[in-house]
PDB file of all heavy atoms in Angstrom:
ATOM      1  N   MET A   1     -56.869  -4.616  -0.023  1.00 91.00           N
ATOM      2  CA  MET A   1     -56.579  -3.419   0.440  1.00 91.00           C
ATOM      3  C   MET A   1     -55.685  -3.503   1.755  1.00 91.00           C
ATOM      4  O   MET A   1     -54.666  -2.779   1.700  1.00 91.00           O
ATOM      5  CB  MET A   1     -57.861  -2.757   0.778  1.00 91.00           C
ATOM      6  CG  MET A   1     -57.858  -1.491   1.799  1.00 91.00           C
ATOM      7  SD  MET A   1     -56.874  -0.100   1.014  1.00 91.00           S
ATOM      8  CE  MET A   1     -58.079   0.693   0.038  1.00 91.00           C
ATOM      9  N   PRO A   2     -56.060  -4.261   2.799  1.00 94.00           N
ATOM     10  CA  PRO A   2     -55.088  -4.283   3.816  1.00 94.00           C
ATOM     11  C   PRO A   2     -53.708  -4.814   3.492  1.00 94.00           C
ATOM     12  O   PRO A   2     -52.822  -4.286   4.104  1.00 94.00           O
ATOM     13  CB  PRO A   2     -55.869  -5.256   4.835  1.00 94.00           C
ATOM     14  CG  PRO A   2     -57.306  -5.376   4.355  1.00 94.00           C
ATOM     15  CD  PRO A   2     -57.260  -5.065   2.919  1.00 94.00           C
ATOM     16  N   ALA A   3     -53.673  -5.744   2.502  1.00 95.00           N
ATOM     17  CA  ALA A   3     -52.362  -6.254   2.091  1.00 95.00           C
ATOM     18  C   ALA A   3     -51.522  -5.100   1.477  1.00 95.00           C
ATOM     19  O   ALA A   3     -50.350  -5.094   1.723  1.00 95.00           O
ATOM     20  CB  ALA A   3     -52.528  -7.466   1.124  1.00 95.00           C
ATOM     21  N   GLN A   4     -52.252  -4.299   0.677  1.00 92.00           N
ATOM     22  CA  GLN A   4     -51.452  -3.208   0.017  1.00 92.00           C
ATOM     23  C   GLN A   4     -50.866  -2.284   1.047  1.00 92.00           C
ATOM     24  O   GLN A   4     -49.855  -1.801   1.009  1.00 92.00           O
ATOM     25  CB  GLN A   4     -52.315  -2.414  -1.022  1.00 92.00           C
ATOM     26  CG  GLN A   4     -51.678  -1.507  -1.808  1.00 92.00           C
ATOM     27  CD  GLN A   4     -50.723  -2.017  -2.836  1.00 92.00           C
ATOM     28  OE1 GLN A   4     -50.925  -3.072  -3.395  1.00 92.00           O
ATOM     29  NE2 GLN A   4     -49.714  -1.277  -3.168  1.00 92.00           N
ATOM     30  N   ILE A   5     -51.758  -1.969   2.055  1.00 91.00           N
ATOM     31  CA  ILE A   5     -51.498  -1.003   3.035  1.00 91.00           C
ATOM     32  C   ILE A   5     -50.242  -1.539   3.917  1.00 91.00           C
ATOM     33  O   ILE A   5     -49.169  -0.931   4.304  1.00 91.00           O
ATOM     34  CB  ILE A   5     -52.588  -0.486   3.861  1.00 91.00           C
ATOM     35  CG1 ILE A   5     -53.369   0.415   2.951  1.00 91.00           C
ATOM     36  CG2 ILE A   5     -52.170   0.113   5.152  1.00 91.00           C
ATOM     37  CD1 ILE A   5     -54.534   1.161   3.762  1.00 91.00           C
ATOM     38  N   VAL A   6     -50.287  -2.839   4.351  1.00 93.00           N
ATOM     39  CA  VAL A   6     -49.332  -3.457   5.142  1.00 93.00           C
ATOM     40  C   VAL A   6     -47.942  -3.451   4.318  1.00 93.00           C
ATOM     41  O   VAL A   6     -46.880  -3.165   4.920  1.00 93.00           O
ATOM     42  CB  VAL A   6     -49.607  -4.802   5.549  1.00 93.00           C
ATOM     43  CG1 VAL A   6     -48.548  -5.695   6.110  1.00 93.00           C
ATOM     44  CG2 VAL A   6     -50.885  -4.860   6.472  1.00 93.00           C
ATOM     45  N   MET A   7     -48.014  -3.842   3.066  1.00 92.00           N
ATOM     46  CA  MET A   7     -46.729  -3.793   2.238  1.00 92.00           C
ATOM     47  C   MET A   7     -46.128  -2.429   2.231  1.00 92.00           C
ATOM     48  O   MET A   7     -45.002  -2.299   2.500  1.00 92.00           O
ATOM     49  CB  MET A   7     -47.025  -4.321   0.850  1.00 92.00           C
ATOM     50  CG  MET A   7     -47.305  -5.792   0.781  1.00 92.00           C
ATOM     51  SD  MET A   7     -47.245  -6.405  -0.947  1.00 92.00           S
ATOM     52  CE  MET A   7     -48.634  -5.559  -1.662  1.00 92.00           C
ATOM     53  N   ASN A   8     -46.897  -1.449   2.004  1.00 89.00           N
ATOM     54  CA  ASN A   8     -46.324  -0.032   1.917  1.00 89.00           C
ATOM     55  C   ASN A   8     -45.991   0.442   3.186  1.00 89.00           C
ATOM     56  O   ASN A   8     -45.176   1.316   3.247  1.00 89.00           O
ATOM     57  CB  ASN A   8     -47.473   0.868   1.177  1.00 89.00           C
ATOM     58  CG  ASN A   8     -47.598   0.507  -0.220  1.00 89.00           C
ATOM     59  OD1 ASN A   8     -46.834  -0.131  -0.873  1.00 89.00           O
ATOM     60  ND2 ASN A   8     -48.792   1.024  -0.815  1.00 89.00           N
ATOM     61  N   THR A   9     -46.604   0.035   4.233  1.00 89.00           N
ATOM     62  CA  THR A   9     -46.140   0.366   5.548  1.00 89.00           C
ATOM     63  C   THR A   9     -44.899  -0.183   5.944  1.00 89.00           C
ATOM     64  O   THR A   9     -44.001   0.537   6.517  1.00 89.00           O
ATOM     65  CB  THR A   9     -47.293   0.070   6.563  1.00 89.00           C
ATOM     66  OG1 THR A   9     -48.429   0.747   6.339  1.00 89.00           O
ATOM     67  CG2 THR A   9     -46.855   0.416   8.027  1.00 89.00           C
ATOM     68  N   MET A  10     -44.615  -1.429   5.562  1.00 92.00           N
ATOM     69  CA  MET A  10     -43.448  -2.132   6.132  1.00 92.00           C
ATOM     70  C   MET A  10     -42.296  -1.941   5.272  1.00 92.00           C
ATOM     71  O   MET A  10     -41.169  -1.963   5.757  1.00 92.00           O
ATOM     72  CB  MET A  10     -43.761  -3.744   6.137  1.00 92.00           C
ATOM     73  CG  MET A  10     -44.824  -4.070   7.209  1.00 92.00           C
ATOM     74  SD  MET A  10     -44.965  -5.772   7.415  1.00 92.00           S
ATOM     75  CE  MET A  10     -43.450  -6.156   8.296  1.00 92.00           C
ATOM     76  N   VAL A  11     -42.364  -1.637   4.102  1.00 92.00           N
ATOM     77  CA  VAL A  11     -41.196  -1.514   3.045  1.00 92.00           C
ATOM     78  C   VAL A  11     -40.088  -0.450   3.689  1.00 92.00           C
ATOM     79  O   VAL A  11     -38.996  -0.663   3.665  1.00 92.00           O
ATOM     80  CB  VAL A  11     -41.609  -1.178   1.786  1.00 92.00           C
ATOM     81  CG1 VAL A  11     -40.455  -0.761   0.852  1.00 92.00           C
ATOM     82  CG2 VAL A  11     -42.218  -2.362   1.107  1.00 92.00           C
ATOM     83  N   PRO A  12     -40.591   0.797   4.098  1.00 91.00           N
ATOM     84  CA  PRO A  12     -39.571   1.727   4.648  1.00 91.00           C
ATOM     85  C   PRO A  12     -38.808   1.179   5.768  1.00 91.00           C
ATOM     86  O   PRO A  12     -37.690   1.441   5.959  1.00 91.00           O
ATOM     87  CB  PRO A  12     -40.478   2.960   4.977  1.00 91.00           C
ATOM     88  CG  PRO A  12     -41.599   2.859   4.104  1.00 91.00           C
ATOM     89  CD  PRO A  12     -42.038   1.417   4.046  1.00 91.00           C
ATOM     90  N   PHE A  13     -39.517   0.450   6.672  1.00 90.00           N
ATOM     91  CA  PHE A  13     -38.872  -0.138   7.830  1.00 90.00           C
ATOM     92  C   PHE A  13     -37.978  -1.316   7.419  1.00 90.00           C
ATOM     93  O   PHE A  13     -36.808  -1.506   7.985  1.00 90.00           O
ATOM     94  CB  PHE A  13     -39.959  -0.678   8.791  1.00 90.00           C
ATOM     95  CG  PHE A  13     -40.608   0.314   9.479  1.00 90.00           C
ATOM     96  CD1 PHE A  13     -41.973   0.570   8.905  1.00 90.00           C
ATOM     97  CD2 PHE A  13     -40.123   1.002  10.616  1.00 90.00           C
ATOM     98  CE1 PHE A  13     -42.706   1.678   9.561  1.00 90.00           C
ATOM     99  CE2 PHE A  13     -40.932   2.039  11.214  1.00 90.00           C
ATOM    100  CZ  PHE A  13     -42.193   2.356  10.612  1.00 90.00           C
ATOM    101  N   ILE A  14     -38.317  -2.043   6.420  1.00 92.00           N
ATOM    102  CA  ILE A  14     -37.468  -3.070   5.848  1.00 92.00           C
ATOM    103  C   ILE A  14     -36.247  -2.547   5.191  1.00 92.00           C
ATOM    104  O   ILE A  14     -34.999  -2.940   5.449  1.00 92.00           O
ATOM    105  CB  ILE A  14     -38.184  -4.026   4.720  1.00 92.00           C
ATOM    106  CG1 ILE A  14     -39.307  -4.793   5.474  1.00 92.00           C
ATOM    107  CG2 ILE A  14     -37.272  -4.840   4.059  1.00 92.00           C
ATOM    108  CD1 ILE A  14     -40.109  -5.395   4.497  1.00 92.00           C
ATOM    109  N   THR A  15     -36.449  -1.408   4.543  1.00 91.00           N
ATOM    110  CA  THR A  15     -35.303  -0.596   3.895  1.00 91.00           C
ATOM    111  C   THR A  15     -34.278  -0.157   4.970  1.00 91.00           C
ATOM    112  O   THR A  15     -33.093  -0.351   4.756  1.00 91.00           O
ATOM    113  CB  THR A  15     -35.868   0.640   3.250  1.00 91.00           C
ATOM    114  OG1 THR A  15     -36.723   0.117   2.093  1.00 91.00           O
ATOM    115  CG2 THR A  15     -34.786   1.389   2.526  1.00 91.00           C
ATOM    116  N   ALA A  16     -34.766   0.380   6.119  1.00 90.00           N
ATOM    117  CA  ALA A  16     -33.883   0.804   7.077  1.00 90.00           C
ATOM    118  C   ALA A  16     -33.212  -0.349   7.914  1.00 90.00           C
ATOM    119  O   ALA A  16     -31.945  -0.261   8.237  1.00 90.00           O
ATOM    120  CB  ALA A  16     -34.637   1.695   8.153  1.00 90.00           C
ATOM    121  N   ASP A  17     -33.907  -1.398   8.050  1.00 86.00           N
ATOM    122  CA  ASP A  17     -33.522  -2.498   8.791  1.00 86.00           C
ATOM    123  C   ASP A  17     -32.321  -3.264   8.062  1.00 86.00           C
ATOM    124  O   ASP A  17     -31.467  -3.901   8.677  1.00 86.00           O
ATOM    125  CB  ASP A  17     -34.751  -3.571   9.018  1.00 86.00           C
ATOM    126  CG  ASP A  17     -34.507  -4.403  10.179  1.00 86.00           C
ATOM    127  OD1 ASP A  17     -33.744  -4.104  11.149  1.00 86.00           O
ATOM    128  OD2 ASP A  17     -35.070  -5.569  10.117  1.00 86.00           O
ATOM    129  N   ASN A  18     -32.397  -3.194   6.686  1.00 86.00           N
ATOM    130  CA  ASN A  18     -31.414  -3.999   5.969  1.00 86.00           C
ATOM    131  C   ASN A  18     -30.451  -3.010   5.346  1.00 86.00           C
ATOM    132  O   ASN A  18     -29.562  -3.435   4.450  1.00 86.00           O
ATOM    133  CB  ASN A  18     -32.140  -4.829   4.900  1.00 86.00           C
ATOM    134  CG  ASN A  18     -32.874  -5.901   5.487  1.00 86.00           C
ATOM    135  OD1 ASN A  18     -32.450  -6.899   5.890  1.00 86.00           O
ATOM    136  ND2 ASN A  18     -34.226  -5.680   5.714  1.00 86.00           N
ATOM    137  N   TYR A  19     -30.562  -1.681   5.604  1.00 89.00           N
ATOM    138  CA  TYR A  19     -29.648  -0.682   5.017  1.00 89.00           C
ATOM    139  C   TYR A  19     -29.600  -0.791   3.580  1.00 89.00           C
ATOM    140  O   TYR A  19     -28.560  -0.709   2.888  1.00 89.00           O
ATOM    141  CB  TYR A  19     -28.210  -0.764   5.553  1.00 89.00           C
ATOM    142  CG  TYR A  19     -28.157  -0.779   7.056  1.00 89.00           C
ATOM    143  CD1 TYR A  19     -28.047  -2.036   7.710  1.00 89.00           C
ATOM    144  CD2 TYR A  19     -28.133   0.320   7.760  1.00 89.00           C
ATOM    145  CE1 TYR A  19     -27.958  -2.024   9.205  1.00 89.00           C
ATOM    146  CE2 TYR A  19     -28.114   0.305   9.241  1.00 89.00           C
ATOM    147  CZ  TYR A  19     -28.091  -0.876   9.889  1.00 89.00           C
ATOM    148  OH  TYR A  19     -27.958  -0.859  11.312  1.00 89.00           O
ATOM    149  N   LEU A  20     -30.878  -0.733   2.894  1.00 88.00           N
ATOM    150  CA  LEU A  20     -30.966  -0.773   1.497  1.00 88.00           C
ATOM    151  C   LEU A  20     -30.758   0.502   0.804  1.00 88.00           C
ATOM    152  O   LEU A  20     -31.221   1.547   1.277  1.00 88.00           O
ATOM    153  CB  LEU A  20     -32.230  -1.434   1.108  1.00 88.00           C
ATOM    154  CG  LEU A  20     -32.690  -2.872   1.523  1.00 88.00           C
ATOM    155  CD1 LEU A  20     -34.123  -3.177   1.188  1.00 88.00           C
ATOM    156  CD2 LEU A  20     -31.709  -3.791   1.069  1.00 88.00           C
ATOM    157  N   PRO A  21     -29.853   0.522  -0.237  1.00 90.00           N
ATOM    158  CA  PRO A  21     -29.693   1.820  -0.927  1.00 90.00           C
ATOM    159  C   PRO A  21     -30.951   2.052  -1.857  1.00 90.00           C
ATOM    160  O   PRO A  21     -31.867   1.261  -2.006  1.00 90.00           O
ATOM    161  CB  PRO A  21     -28.507   1.518  -1.832  1.00 90.00           C
ATOM    162  CG  PRO A  21     -28.526   0.005  -2.061  1.00 90.00           C
ATOM    163  CD  PRO A  21     -28.967  -0.496  -0.734  1.00 90.00           C
ATOM    164  N   ILE A  22     -31.029   3.374  -2.189  1.00 88.00           N
ATOM    165  CA  ILE A  22     -32.253   3.869  -2.836  1.00 88.00           C
ATOM    166  C   ILE A  22     -32.571   2.953  -4.191  1.00 88.00           C
ATOM    167  O   ILE A  22     -33.697   2.727  -4.585  1.00 88.00           O
ATOM    168  CB  ILE A  22     -32.257   5.307  -3.176  1.00 88.00           C
ATOM    169  CG1 ILE A  22     -33.643   5.828  -3.796  1.00 88.00           C
ATOM    170  CG2 ILE A  22     -31.084   5.616  -4.148  1.00 88.00           C
ATOM    171  CD1 ILE A  22     -34.687   5.644  -2.796  1.00 88.00           C
ATOM    172  N   ASP A  23     -31.491   2.616  -4.826  1.00 86.00           N
ATOM    173  CA  ASP A  23     -31.609   1.873  -6.119  1.00 86.00           C
ATOM    174  C   ASP A  23     -32.323   0.521  -5.795  1.00 86.00           C
ATOM    175  O   ASP A  23     -33.064   0.108  -6.749  1.00 86.00           O
ATOM    176  CB  ASP A  23     -30.172   1.580  -6.753  1.00 86.00           C
ATOM    177  CG  ASP A  23     -29.732   2.780  -7.387  1.00 86.00           C
ATOM    178  OD1 ASP A  23     -30.450   3.772  -7.542  1.00 86.00           O
ATOM    179  OD2 ASP A  23     -28.455   2.837  -7.870  1.00 86.00           O
ATOM    180  N   ASP A  24     -32.002  -0.071  -4.658  1.00 88.00           N
ATOM    181  CA  ASP A  24     -32.644  -1.355  -4.297  1.00 88.00           C
ATOM    182  C   ASP A  24     -34.060  -1.236  -4.056  1.00 88.00           C
ATOM    183  O   ASP A  24     -34.968  -1.994  -4.449  1.00 88.00           O
ATOM    184  CB  ASP A  24     -31.938  -2.010  -3.154  1.00 88.00           C
ATOM    185  CG  ASP A  24     -30.606  -2.709  -3.563  1.00 88.00           C
ATOM    186  OD1 ASP A  24     -30.295  -2.551  -4.666  1.00 88.00           O
ATOM    187  OD2 ASP A  24     -29.879  -3.296  -2.666  1.00 88.00           O
ATOM    188  N   VAL A  25     -34.462  -0.014  -3.422  1.00 89.00           N
ATOM    189  CA  VAL A  25     -35.890   0.238  -3.081  1.00 89.00           C
ATOM    190  C   VAL A  25     -36.635   0.430  -4.408  1.00 89.00           C
ATOM    191  O   VAL A  25     -37.741  -0.109  -4.613  1.00 89.00           O
ATOM    192  CB  VAL A  25     -35.932   1.451  -2.240  1.00 89.00           C
ATOM    193  CG1 VAL A  25     -37.614   1.795  -2.000  1.00 89.00           C
ATOM    194  CG2 VAL A  25     -35.262   1.242  -0.968  1.00 89.00           C
ATOM    195  N   MET A  26     -36.048   1.146  -5.293  1.00 87.00           N
ATOM    196  CA  MET A  26     -36.647   1.403  -6.646  1.00 87.00           C
ATOM    197  C   MET A  26     -36.800   0.099  -7.410  1.00 87.00           C
ATOM    198  O   MET A  26     -37.915  -0.168  -8.005  1.00 87.00           O
ATOM    199  CB  MET A  26     -35.802   2.358  -7.495  1.00 87.00           C
ATOM    200  CG  MET A  26     -35.673   3.726  -6.979  1.00 87.00           C
ATOM    201  SD  MET A  26     -34.641   4.817  -7.982  1.00 87.00           S
ATOM    202  CE  MET A  26     -35.310   4.742  -9.554  1.00 87.00           C
ATOM    203  N   LYS A  27     -35.855  -0.781  -7.293  1.00 88.00           N
ATOM    204  CA  LYS A  27     -35.886  -2.093  -7.937  1.00 88.00           C
ATOM    205  C   LYS A  27     -37.076  -2.885  -7.425  1.00 88.00           C
ATOM    206  O   LYS A  27     -37.770  -3.559  -8.075  1.00 88.00           O
ATOM    207  CB  LYS A  27     -34.597  -2.782  -7.768  1.00 88.00           C
ATOM    208  CG  LYS A  27     -34.515  -4.278  -8.360  1.00 88.00           C
ATOM    209  CD  LYS A  27     -33.249  -4.887  -8.017  1.00 88.00           C
ATOM    210  CE  LYS A  27     -33.172  -6.356  -8.515  1.00 88.00           C
ATOM    211  NZ  LYS A  27     -31.920  -6.863  -8.305  1.00 88.00           N
ATOM    212  N   TYR A  28     -37.171  -2.844  -6.102  1.00 91.00           N
ATOM    213  CA  TYR A  28     -38.310  -3.708  -5.448  1.00 91.00           C
ATOM    214  C   TYR A  28     -39.573  -3.150  -5.929  1.00 91.00           C
ATOM    215  O   TYR A  28     -40.458  -4.040  -6.417  1.00 91.00           O
ATOM    216  CB  TYR A  28     -38.261  -3.429  -3.955  1.00 91.00           C
ATOM    217  CG  TYR A  28     -39.521  -3.929  -3.242  1.00 91.00           C
ATOM    218  CD1 TYR A  28     -39.735  -5.260  -3.179  1.00 91.00           C
ATOM    219  CD2 TYR A  28     -40.382  -3.014  -2.826  1.00 91.00           C
ATOM    220  CE1 TYR A  28     -40.952  -5.704  -2.657  1.00 91.00           C
ATOM    221  CE2 TYR A  28     -41.704  -3.439  -2.157  1.00 91.00           C
ATOM    222  CZ  TYR A  28     -41.931  -4.846  -2.178  1.00 91.00           C
ATOM    223  OH  TYR A  28     -43.109  -5.212  -1.639  1.00 91.00           O
ATOM    224  N   TYR A  29     -39.861  -1.776  -6.011  1.00 91.00           N
ATOM    225  CA  TYR A  29     -41.197  -1.488  -6.378  1.00 91.00           C
ATOM    226  C   TYR A  29     -41.472  -1.698  -7.933  1.00 91.00           C
ATOM    227  O   TYR A  29     -42.603  -2.081  -8.091  1.00 91.00           O
ATOM    228  CB  TYR A  29     -41.342   0.160  -6.136  1.00 91.00           C
ATOM    229  CG  TYR A  29     -41.741   0.367  -4.650  1.00 91.00           C
ATOM    230  CD1 TYR A  29     -40.779   1.125  -3.898  1.00 91.00           C
ATOM    231  CD2 TYR A  29     -43.030   0.085  -4.126  1.00 91.00           C
ATOM    232  CE1 TYR A  29     -41.094   1.534  -2.598  1.00 91.00           C
ATOM    233  CE2 TYR A  29     -43.253   0.325  -2.740  1.00 91.00           C
ATOM    234  CZ  TYR A  29     -42.321   1.091  -1.907  1.00 91.00           C
ATOM    235  OH  TYR A  29     -42.561   1.237  -0.730  1.00 91.00           O
ATOM    236  N   ARG A  30     -40.473  -1.542  -8.757  1.00 89.00           N
ATOM    237  CA  ARG A  30     -40.735  -1.752 -10.168  1.00 89.00           C
ATOM    238  C   ARG A  30     -40.863  -3.281 -10.380  1.00 89.00           C
ATOM    239  O   ARG A  30     -41.553  -3.758 -11.362  1.00 89.00           O
ATOM    240  CB  ARG A  30     -39.560  -1.207 -10.850  1.00 89.00           C
ATOM    241  CG  ARG A  30     -39.567   0.317 -10.862  1.00 89.00           C
ATOM    242  CD  ARG A  30     -38.495   0.891 -11.505  1.00 89.00           C
ATOM    243  NE  ARG A  30     -38.500   2.402 -11.535  1.00 89.00           N
ATOM    244  CZ  ARG A  30     -37.593   3.329 -12.035  1.00 89.00           C
ATOM    245  NH1 ARG A  30     -36.404   2.822 -12.294  1.00 89.00           N
ATOM    246  NH2 ARG A  30     -37.924   4.632 -11.854  1.00 89.00           N
TER     247      ARG A  30
END
């Protein structure tokens, strides 16, 4: 449970930090 929440909390910040396009974010989750 904590791991899932940490992952979901950090991914938006990683996205912004690395200027990832939405397609890359979708690719990550899938």
Side-chain angles (χ1 to χ4, degrees):
M1 162 65 82
Q4 185 72 29
I5 285 184
V6 167
M7 286 192 297
N8 290 340
T9 299
M10 292 188 71
V11 166
F13 293 97
I14 294 171
T15 300
D17 202 26
N18 294 279
Y19 305 101
L20 298 179
I22 188 64
D23 284 352
D24 283 2
V25 179
M26 292 174 60
K27 177 180 178 180
Y28 166 73
Y29 281 112
R30 291 175 178 174

